[in-house]
Structure formats: C-alpha cells, structure tokens
Amino acid sequence: MKTTPYRYFWTLPVIGGMAICLWFAPSAGRAADPEFSLPPGIIEFAGRVAHNHGYLFGEDQRGELEHLNRVLRESQAGLRSGDEAEKAAAAKRASAAVDALIALVRKCPYLLTVDLTGPEPRVDATGPVALPGDTGALLLAVEAGEGNVHFSTGWADLANPPGESSLVSLPAAPGALTYAVAGLENVPTRRTTLRLEIQGAGDEPARLPLDVTTPRPGRLQLTVLSDESGEPVPAMVRLLWRVDGLQRRPSNGIEFGPQFDNQGRATGARPANLPAPLNTPFWCVPGPFDMALSPGPWQIGIRRGVEHEVIFEEITIESGRTLEKTLRPRRWVDMRRHGWWSGDDHVHCRILSDQDAERLMAWVQAEEVHLANVVKMGDIYRTYFEQRGFGPDYRVIDDDYILSPGQECPRTHDQIGHTLAMNITAMVRDTDRYFLYDTVFDAVHAQGGLSGYAHVNSGAFHVHRDMSVNVPKEKVDFVEILQFNHLGTDLYYDFLNLGCKLTASAGSDVPWGGTVGEVRAYAFLGDQSFTADHWFEAFAKGHTFTTSGPMLEFRVDDALPGDEIQVDSPEQNLEIHARAWGEPQRMAPVRLEIVRHGEVIRSAESTDPADPAVEIDFSLPAEDGYWIAARALAGNGTHAHTTPVYVVRDGMRFWKFNQLDALLAARSASLDEIEAIIAEAQRLEAAGRLTNDRYRRQLALQGDALLERIAAAREIYAKLESIAASEKSRRLSHPDKAGAEAP
Amino acid sequence: MEILRGLVAGLAVGGLFVAAGPGVFAHPFLSDYLQHRLVLARDGDVLEVGVVVTFFEAGSLQERAAMDTDHDGVIRHGEISAYVRERSEEWQNQFRLCLDGQWQTPLLLYEPEVDLGRIDRVVAAHHRLDLHYFVSIPAAFKPGDEVIIEDRLWPNRPAMGILQLPIGQRLWQAEKTTWFVHLPDPDADPPRLRALWLGPPGKSLSQK
C-alpha cells in the first residue's frame, strides 16, 4: 500500500503532546526516585547545543544553555556519589535541568519533528530548512514511540567524498522520543538535498530526504594598511564566524604546506605560541582580498608582529552585499627608531623558486621580522627545507626585509644536541664527521658565519653535552634561550657563570613553532643602515636581546649588551640603566629584573595599567667583575632577556666564583655522559649490532676523535680551576651574596 | 575478517615506526612531545580550565591510528566521536585541581574536540585536542588563595607545557608558566602549576 507523506500528519501534535505530558507529569516523582538517571545522551546533547549550535536558540538563550549544561554535568557526577543525600539533591537538580532543557528545545523555532510511528517516516518540514551559512545544525524530535526520552548527536561533513556527502546519520531510540542535533559542515550554497538517516529506532534505518538552504553570501573586501605609509601591506589575518565559532581561510591566505616539506604543522593556518587570542590560527595574506562569506556576525583579527597592536573587530556581513573594510594596525613601538632590528634565527621553509621566496617574504613582512635565518635542516640521514644556495647572492631582499639562508645541522637527538648557523656561504655537512661539531663551527666561522645551539631554552637533545665540549673553547657565538614563548636560562646561566660569553638569541622553529617572529632576537645597529651584513655584525658583537612581547633597553655606563667593560678597581661604580615596556592593551604590568650571575639584584614593576613601562637606574660597584643582564616579564606571560654586559676586572674572569665547584662538576658530568654513550656505541658496533642505527654507528666510528675533544675540554676546565686558585687571593669577598634580592 | 583487517592495519602503523628507523621524523624533539596549553579563567563561581593538547608527528600518528577504528586510513566524524567518548573519562581523571586546599577532579564542560588540521588521514601530521574543564569554586576561596593544577595527561609522553592566565586586569599570578618533561617517569610527581588568585580589581591582598 502506498502512503502519502502527509497521511499521518495529524498524529504529530498528538504524539508530541503525549510525550510532553509523559515527561512532565511525573517530574517530582522522578526526582524522588533514588534510581533516577539522566536521559541517555543528554550530557553530550547539552554540551553540543551550548557550545556549537547556540544560534538555534538565539543569543538570549545562550547563557541559559551554558547554565543547564553545567548543572547537568554536575548532577551527573552527583548521581554517582555514594552519599544518598547528595545523590537525592543531584537527582532533583538534574530533573529540573532536564525539564528546562526540553522546554527550551520544544520552544526552539528550528525544531523539526520526525515521525517514525507510521508506515513511512515523515518530517514536519514544510519547506527547506534554512541554515545560517555553510555550517549549521538540524534539531530534531524523532518520535518512535512513547518510551522515555533520549537524546543523540551527530555530525555531517558535506565535503566528504562523493557517496557520503549528503548523508546525515543520527541515532534514535526504539519506541521512544529522541531529541537529536546534527551539526552540518561545508554546506554548499543555496539548496541541498540531504539524506537523513535515523538509525536504531527500528529494524532498518529510517531514511528520508530533507532539503536545506543557505542564504546568499555576502562579500568582504579587506585591506590592511601600514601604519607608516598607509599603503597595503601583508598581514596575519583571522576570520571567525561568530555563528559557529570557526575560522575560515582568507581567499588569498598562503598555504605553506608544500614549502614545509610536509613537516611539522604543515599548513598556512598559524596559531602563535603566544597568549590568547594569538594562539588561534591566523593566515598570512600578502595583500587585499575579496571573498564570499556567510552572512552574519564575524570577527576579523589582524596581527602585524609584536610591534603593532592587535586588532579584533566585529563586523556583520549582509547577504548579497559587499563590506569594504580597511584596517590599519597601530604601531605601539618602532624599534628601528631605537636602532634595534628584529630577526628570527630559526625559520624552516623551502626556497627553490622566486614564488617560494615571495610567499615566505610575505610572511616575514606580515610579522614584521626584518631578518629571517632560513635554515636548511639536516640529520645524519638527509636534509630538509632545501635552499637555492647560500651567501649574499642567495639572500632575498625586499626593502628592509631579508631572507638569509642558513643551516640547522648537525643535529643529533639522543646524543649531543642541535646546532644552528647564520650568514654562511655554503652548507657545512659531513656525515663522516657528524659528531665533531667543532669542525662545523670552525668551517662556519671561516665563511664569516655565526655558530650557535638551538633549543638551549629547553635543554632538549642533551645539548648541554656538546656545549660542555665547545663553549669553553669559544667555538660558539649564540644560543637560543627563547622559543615557543619559553624563556629557559638554566644552561645559559651555567655557562655565563663559568665566564663564557654567549649571545642571547631566539627562533620560532616554524613549522614546528607557531609563526615567524613569535619569538625574536633584536640586534642593535644604531645609526647604521639596515643590511644583512650590519645585522650580522651587530649580532656577532652580542648586541642583542630576545623577546616574545616586551621590549628592553639595557646599558651599563655606555656599554650595550654583549660589550665588555674593563675596570681597574673593584670600587669603580657602574651606572646601570634598564627599561622595559610593552603594548598597553595586552602586556601590563611589565616586571623588569636586573640579573647578575643569575640572581636578581634589582626589580621593579609598572603600576599604570595604561602605560606598562618601568625603568631601573642605579649604581653598582664593579667588585671582582660579573655578567649582568636585564630581563622582563609582561602581564600576558611574554618574556624578554638581553645578552649580558660583561664586567671584567684586571683580567680576571667574570665568573660566579663562589659556585665554581658545582659549575665545573656539572660540566664534567656532561662530558662523562658523552664518554658513556661513545663507549656504549663502540661496544654495540664491535658486536655488529648497529647496522641499522646510523647515528650510533657514526658515533662509534667518530668516537675516538670526539674523545680527544672531550679530553681537550677537560684540560680547559682544569685550567679554569688553576685560574680560580690564582684569582682567589686577588678577589674581594664574593659579591654574589651581597645585595641580591630574595628570589 | 575484521580482526584480520585490524591486525594488518595495526602492523602497518607499527611498521611506520619500526621500518623507517630513527630518521623517520625530521624533528624528533617536537614529533615526540605533546604541547599542553592550560588556560585558566574564572566565570563567577566557576573556574574553567581549557586544555589544548597539540600532538606532533609521533603522538599524532599514534592517536590517529587509534581513531581510525575501521582501519581504512581515513578518520571520520563518527570515529572521532567514538574515540573521544571512550576516552573522556580517562582524560577527566588525569586532571586535578586543588582549590582552598581541596583536590577536585573537574568535570568536562563540553565533549572533547579533535581538530585534525585539515588532514583526515592516518599520517604523521599534527592535531589538537581541546578539553574544556570546569569546577565550582568553594565559597571559602579568597583573594590570595592558590589554585594548583595537576596535569597527568599522557604521562608517558614527553611534554612541554604552558599555563596561560587571563591578560588585562591582573587577577592571577604565577611564578612558573612553562614547563618541560623530557623523560617521563611514571613514578615521578606529575607536573603541578600554581596560580594565585589576586581577586577582583580594586581589592588588594591585604583585604583578605
């Protein structure tokens, strides 16, 4: 027998009414029932409508939905309690919340009723279901009988491969009323016929067609202007549709996946490792764009690196209309005017064509990083992120932005750490000497380049081991102490405290990091023009500070970070000046600390929320010499740290004299570790067990040469002990304890 | 047949780790680590803690394989939902808060969300898991009191963590906002973060 779709339409209000009556009538009795349990699926349903599909209920109900969601979840926990009184109270709260949620759902204008009680499934939609845009939801009351109420949830992605794209599958309970919500993603514009499939309510899934429509989109024409020139510039852009809380890719958002060799976070959607909301995905857009967007409320986010304020602006896109928007992020500081130019020492990105270079150039301009050390990466097996070449001829320069090829190689993970090099003229890589990092450092220096260690902030990959071999030999120029917004100074301070000079640097490590320049190193060029050579010269002098947010100035007399001050007398007073400041909107308060030999000797914090700036000026006697630096912590959790100024008295070392025993013991222990892994590798190699482990096989083969280098390092440390003995009689009482603030 | 398919797929995923040897991931540091980002926010008498766990290559591959229950190499919504449903309680129990000296296991505010980053295949990519927790703040909780957050999520994976406090008006204070666990030790104490509730603007700690 054929049935028309509307034959049993009259039953819907009857069944609906019965269901409501059945639910509401015994409400008090349910609350008193010690065996009360929540309707199946209600927790997930409540969370979904509160969190993902609030638009169905309107803005004014969102707070109530959130509240009910919390109450239901707390009640669920209470119902599991062993305490009968708590259980009863939870049952009462839960019962009321269930009733309230059902009442909200029943009132929802988007609710559709699906009747499965007749011979054919039917839905009470009189026309297509209107969705707000390319995402939305179906809210259904699936009637399959008079049993207890159930809830269910589902998702459908209409961009799924053909054959699945229009299927919306939802579970329902047999013989019962089920409230169901199905999220829809990537819904095509205009009218789409969905295949609604209700599973579990009968022996066979109930299938029925359901049309949905999306409104005609509007358009957004967005231009981001430079605060100085007023001309369009690249920027990091975020487009967030308030209706579903999801971001969309701008039409010209650059997809970096292929240039990342499919390594790391191989996409152009870049959430920075910075405090919210910068940790949400932004796309690099090289210039103005024009794109279709679903109508409704949107949030535009614009970021242009740390020196600009972040813009978040709410807009409304109207169906069929174009919104022209021009935004001009305000620069809160121009470090170039102070003589400081930003760089990122650790950017992985393939550059094999002009197009590759243009895309990366757009990114560094969007984040306003003036010099990017674009590093080809290697391990003992292969290389990644290929470059066209190295040296000045292969620098990519656009106005005052420079991409300069460098390398991150050698890198050993379980052995002795990762190294970086800047300003090289050729890649230095020899896997037969892969563990002899000094050979690379020497070759880099011979090319006029700079050598350093990556990930020193975290101490990853046992980097302390090779640092113990090569830092005291003065083979190393810089170390990364800031990465992923993590300022890590333990290793840095240990080596400084031994009297070893090291320049503070920072690198984002994209594509593993969030975005270029999220941490950065500033080099002081003063009045010099900005060129790669001048930047590297300044960096080589140690005229740097690193930051993920606040800015720093630091002088000891006239000396900059990285400079050495020679003093003849321990009584000679030095004038210390430091200033830290941050973006008024986001970084208040800023705390500034002066660190000598790793201990805070002065600190101050900004007090005006509108002006997060603080200065410290004081005199400090030179005493026996020391290293002294400034660091800052902003209220949003971002950091900054300078390279120290080295105060040297009468040729004595600037080390932390009263802790030398512990410092030398730590280095000796690091060398012991290398000797141990060499011995283990050589034992396994002798037994023929390293044929598939090239790292340890090469360590075994190169072990003797590395042992010689360790022996040489031990000689240096022994010499330091004798220097300490000779200095002892000349030194004053140890200054480290005097005047230090309590940590 | 299903068991056989599962076995074959399991071996295939395991093979990715074994056959390719130590060089399979270009950046073992981040491929092995999980990034834990904890975001603290107070909303009236409720404390919400958002936890975003970013899985880099190795961890992502392992979790993606766990999601792909039909072993066809593609992860679908239904599979993500099942993966989340099966593990929600475990994740909930791996996270604790101490307020006013009392340890509590917070409740999940929403179902955990998985963002595969536009790559829905079982590959060594990245993905994110968003966990939303909440807990009621005890009435006795005052300005100057401390919240201790204990994060035992994926205790066998090396971790780098960030505690993010609300910016703007200074309501919270923490001495330490980042941490690393390089070599997980199941017997060691789990990472604990401490944040001081400074109170609403205009109230100083002395008013406590």
Side-chain angles (χ1 to χ4, degrees):
Chain A
M1 186 179 74
K2 283 186 176 180
T3 52
T4 62
Y6 304 106
R7 183 174 171 185
Y8 294 99
F9 189 77
W10 62 272
T11 61
L12 289 177
V14 175
I15 293 170
M18 285 168 62
I20 293 170
C21 291
L22 280 168
W23 184 261
F24 278 87
S27 177
R30 287 201 318 271
D33 181 356
E35 297 307 314
F36 172 83
S37 60
L38 288 164
I42 193 169
I43 295 293
E44 192 170 348
F45 179 93
R48 281 279 297 279
V49 293
H51 188 47
N52 304 101
H53 311 307
Y55 85 91
L56 290 168
F57 299 86
E59 272 304 312
D60 53 338
Q61 298 295 342
R62 285 202 179 190
E64 178 66 5
L65 283 170
E66 292 282 0
H67 171 71
L68 291 175
N69 177 42
R70 279 184 189 150
V71 172
L72 286 166
R73 286 164 191 267
E74 285 173 330
S75 303
Q76 184 189 42
L79 289 169
R80 292 175 183 159
S81 166
D83 182 326
E84 287 304 316
E86 190 179 333
K87 213 168 169 178
K92 194 173 176 183
R93 287 197 308 275
S95 176
V98 170
D99 292 348
L101 183 62
I102 289 175
L104 270 180
V105 171
R106 301 296 313 183
K107 275 195 308 186
C108 178
Y110 291 96
L111 181 68
L112 299 174
T113 301
V114 177
D115 179 12
L116 302 183
T117 59
E120 293 292 332
R122 292 188 311 151
V123 61
D124 69 347
T126 54
V129 177
L131 299 176
D134 60 355
T135 66
L138 299 177
L139 183 64
L140 306 174
V142 181
E143 295 174 342
E146 299 173 2
N148 286 340
V149 171
H150 286 63
F151 291 83
S152 76
T153 57
W155 279 105
D157 183 350
L158 277 70
N160 267 343
E164 303 174 16
S165 61
S166 61
L167 179 65
V168 180
S169 182
L170 277 166
L177 171 65
T178 303
Y179 291 108
V181 65
L184 305 174
E185 291 180 354
N186 295 305
V187 183
T189 52
R190 304 302 173 90
R191 189 167 181 140
T192 301
T193 300
L194 303 176
R195 292 182 297 134
L196 188 59
E197 188 174 273
I198 310 291
Q199 294 181 325
D203 295 337
E204 293 291 322
R207 298 186 179 91
L208 62 169
L210 181 64
D211 281 6
V212 293
T213 58
T214 58
R216 187 179 172 199
R219 297 197 76 80
L220 172 67
Q221 291 179 353
L222 180 67
T223 303
V224 180
L225 300 180
S226 157
D227 195 25
E228 290 88 43
S229 68
E231 295 296 316
V233 283
M236 303 301 289
V237 174
R238 170 175 171 79
L239 296 175
L240 180 84
W241 195 30
R242 286 295 190 189
V243 172
D244 63 4
L246 300 175
Q247 60 98 15
R248 304 295 196 276
R249 177 184 175 181
S251 58
N252 61 348
I254 297 175
E255 181 50 84
F256 285 102
Q259 279 178 262
F260 289 151
D261 270 354
N262 292 312
Q263 299 286 326
R265 190 191 299 276
T267 166
R270 307 308 305 179
N273 284 296
L274 291 170
L278 303 182
N279 61 330
T280 51
F282 282 68
W283 288 83
C284 173
V285 302
F289 65 88
D290 177 351
M291 72 183 292
L293 292 176
S294 294
W298 287 79
Q299 184 193 61
I300 301 175
I302 308 288
R303 197 179 69 221
R304 286 217 62 221
V306 70
E307 295 185 25
H308 289 80
E309 290 178 353
V310 181
I311 292 177
F312 284 100
E313 185 163 321
E314 304 296 327
I315 60 165
T316 300
I317 297 292
E318 294 181 40
S319 192
R321 304 188 69 171
T322 297
L323 177 67
E324 292 180 31
K325 199 78 199 166
T326 300
L327 295 170
R328 192 169 181 162
R330 193 180 79 84
R331 181 187 282 282
W332 65 271
V333 65
D334 189 345
M335 291 304 286
R336 297 169 301 181
R337 292 178 186 276
H338 298 261
W340 292 93
W341 292 78
S342 57
D344 182 332
D345 75 19
H346 200 153
V347 176
H348 296 293
C349 197
R350 182 197 73 197
I351 300 181
L352 289 180
S353 66
D354 289 348
Q355 291 73 28
D356 285 350
E358 282 170 16
R359 284 188 287 267
L360 182 56
M361 180 58 78
W363 194 5
V364 302
Q365 291 180 348
E367 292 284 11
E368 211 195 17
V369 173
H370 289 284
L371 189 138
N373 186 41
V374 185
V375 289
K376 179 172 173 172
M377 188 175 85
D379 58 29
I380 208 160
Y381 293 92
R382 56 164 284 196
T383 58
Y384 309 78
F385 311 108
E386 300 301 319
Q387 304 296 313
R388 292 180 289 197
F390 298 86
D393 290 348
Y394 292 93
R395 290 175 187 157
V396 180
I397 302 171
D398 183 5
D399 194 14
D400 54 5
Y401 294 92
I402 298 168
L403 309 177
S404 175
Q407 72 178 62
E408 188 188 9
C409 189
R411 299 159 62 247
T412 65
H413 320 309
D414 298 324
Q415 287 89 22
I416 56 176
H418 290 190
T419 68
L420 285 164
M422 300 186 201
N423 195 28
I424 52 177
T425 53
M427 176 101 176
V428 183
R429 174 179 162 82
D430 179 355
T431 53
D432 291 336
R433 296 161 70 82
Y434 206 67
F435 287 90
L436 311 180
Y437 287 8
D438 59 311
T439 61
V440 177
F441 299 148
D442 289 346
V444 165
H445 287 147
Q447 294 179 12
L450 297 162
S451 287
Y453 291 105
H455 316 304
V456 171
N457 64 312
S458 64
F461 309 119
H462 313 285
V463 67
H464 64 95
R465 292 176 178 166
D466 198 72
M467 288 178 77
S468 302
V469 176
N470 282 313
V471 171
K473 296 176 184 171
E474 300 180 359
K475 302 275 186 187
V476 182
D477 305 293
F478 67 94
V479 291
E480 283 182 340
I481 62 168
L482 182 58
Q483 193 162 70
F484 283 43
N485 192 33
H486 175 258
L487 177 68
T489 53
D490 291 353
L491 270 176
Y492 188 45
Y493 288 179
D494 276 0
F495 282 92
L496 292 173
N497 283 340
L498 273 175
C500 303
K501 292 182 180 177
L502 285 170
T503 293
S505 189
S508 60
D509 198 10
V510 291
W512 290 274
T515 186
V516 170
E518 64 189 13
V519 297
R520 54 185 65 196
Y522 280 89
F524 184 74
L525 276 66
D527 295 331
Q528 282 189 307
S529 58
F530 175 70
T531 66
D533 289 338
H534 287 156
W535 195 89
F536 288 126
E537 282 167 20
F539 192 96
K541 292 174 186 166
H543 293 170
T544 72
F545 74 91
T546 66
T547 186
S548 56
M551 298 298 163
L552 277 172
E553 279 177 4
F554 183 57
R555 295 281 192 286
V556 179
D557 290 344
D558 292 328
L560 286 162
D563 284 345
E564 179 178 300
I565 297 176
Q566 295 274 352
V567 296
D568 299 326
S569 159
E571 287 80 32
Q572 182 177 333
N573 265 338
L574 303 170
E575 297 305 315
I576 313 291
H577 167 76
R579 176 173 177 249
W581 71 109
E583 180 192 336
Q585 289 182 347
R586 315 178 56 75
M587 296 183 195
V590 168
R591 181 177 175 81
L592 172 62
E593 295 176 334
I594 306 300
V595 184
R596 182 184 60 187
H597 279 164
E599 295 179 14
V600 176
I601 58 168
R602 289 285 191 285
S603 65
E605 188 167 301
S606 66
T607 53
D608 182 353
D611 183 21
V614 60
E615 288 189 28
I616 292 177
D617 289 280
F618 65 104
S619 298
L620 190 68
E623 298 178 336
D624 291 326
Y626 38 76
W627 64 266
I628 185 167
R631 70 186 184 197
L633 171 65
N636 66 345
T638 50
H639 306 266
H641 198 297
T642 69
T643 295
V645 171
Y646 308 103
V647 178
V648 176
R649 182 195 144 206
D650 279 345
M652 291 198 294
R653 290 178 74 86
F654 58 83
W655 53 13
K656 189 169 187 177
F657 192 77
N658 63 349
Q659 289 198 351
L660 282 181
D661 289 347
L663 292 165
L664 290 168
R667 301 288 60 85
S668 180
S670 297
L671 298 177
D672 292 347
E673 289 180 25
I674 309 178
E675 287 170 344
I677 60 171
I678 293 171
E680 174 70 358
Q682 290 182 330
R683 186 184 66 79
L684 293 170
E685 171 66 4
R689 292 170 56 189
L690 292 180
T691 50
N692 291 323
D693 185 343
R694 198 183 296 179
Y695 274 106
R696 286 201 288 177
R697 181 148 199 272
Q698 284 299 322
L699 178 62
L701 297 174
Q702 298 166 31
D704 290 345
L706 185 51
L707 288 171
E708 288 173 17
R709 287 156 170 83
I710 292 168
R714 289 194 190 281
E715 282 179 24
I716 292 174
Y717 292 123
K719 195 173 168 188
L720 291 181
E721 286 184 15
S722 63
I723 291 172
S726 69
E727 280 188 9
K728 195 169 184 179
S729 60
R730 299 168 56 205
R731 299 182 77 90
L732 304 171
S733 59
H734 310 315
D736 305 289
K737 290 178 182 172
E741 281 192 350
Chain B
M1 194 61 187
E2 278 299 308
I3 294 171
L4 187 62
R5 279 178 63 196
L7 188 61
V8 169
L11 288 171
V13 170
L16 284 175
F17 287 105
V18 177
V24 64
F25 298 122
H27 210 318
F29 168 37
L30 297 170
S31 66
D32 287 345
Y33 277 61
L34 303 188
Q35 188 180 35
H36 302 227
R37 178 186 286 268
L38 314 182
V39 184
L40 207 60
R42 181 173 183 167
D43 182 7
D45 58 358
V46 172
L47 184 68
E48 293 186 6
V49 186
V51 183
V52 182
V53 185
T54 300
F55 295 78
F56 297 99
E57 289 93 328
S60 184
L61 177 58
Q62 187 173 325
E63 296 300 314
R64 284 167 184 263
M67 292 177 211
D68 181 28
T69 48
D70 66 1
H71 309 298
D72 68 346
V74 178
I75 302 161
R76 295 180 171 79
H77 267 308
E79 291 174 316
I80 294 173
S81 299
Y83 164 83
V84 162
R85 201 176 303 121
E86 285 168 15
R87 288 160 178 79
S88 286
E89 193 170 340
E90 179 188 344
W91 294 333
Q92 189 173 329
N93 291 329
Q94 287 176 327
F95 204 80
R96 291 199 304 162
L97 293 175
C98 182
L99 287 100
D100 194 29
Q102 292 189 328
W103 283 101
Q104 302 182 47
T105 300
L107 301 172
L108 282 167
L109 182 58
Y110 310 116
E111 308 319 303
E113 296 173 303
V114 174
D115 176 3
L116 295 177
R118 301 150 63 93
I119 299 170
D120 63 358
R121 288 165 290 121
V122 180
V123 292
H126 284 198
H127 77 268
R128 275 171 48 148
L129 173 70
D130 282 38
L131 301 165
H132 312 269
Y133 295 103
F134 77 104
V135 64
S136 294
I137 296 174
F141 191 72
K142 305 174 297 296
D145 283 349
E146 189 178 52
V147 177
I148 306 172
I149 305 164
E150 184 181 277
D151 177 358
R152 287 176 293 138
L153 292 159
W154 281 271
N156 298 321
R157 282 254 173 220
M160 51 183 164
I162 300 165
L163 171 64
Q164 185 179 305
L165 302 171
I167 60 170
Q169 293 166 325
R170 194 161 182 184
L171 306 177
W172 295 90
Q173 186 179 352
E175 284 297 318
K176 182 182 170 191
T177 54
T178 56
W179 75 97
F180 279 87
V181 178
H182 293 307
L183 297 170
D185 175 0
D187 299 326
D189 289 335
R192 284 184 178 174
L193 280 296
R194 295 168 184 275
L196 203 64
W197 165 246
L198 299 179
K203 278 190 180 175
S204 68
L205 293 183
S206 59
Q207 291 175 283
K208 186 180 161 185

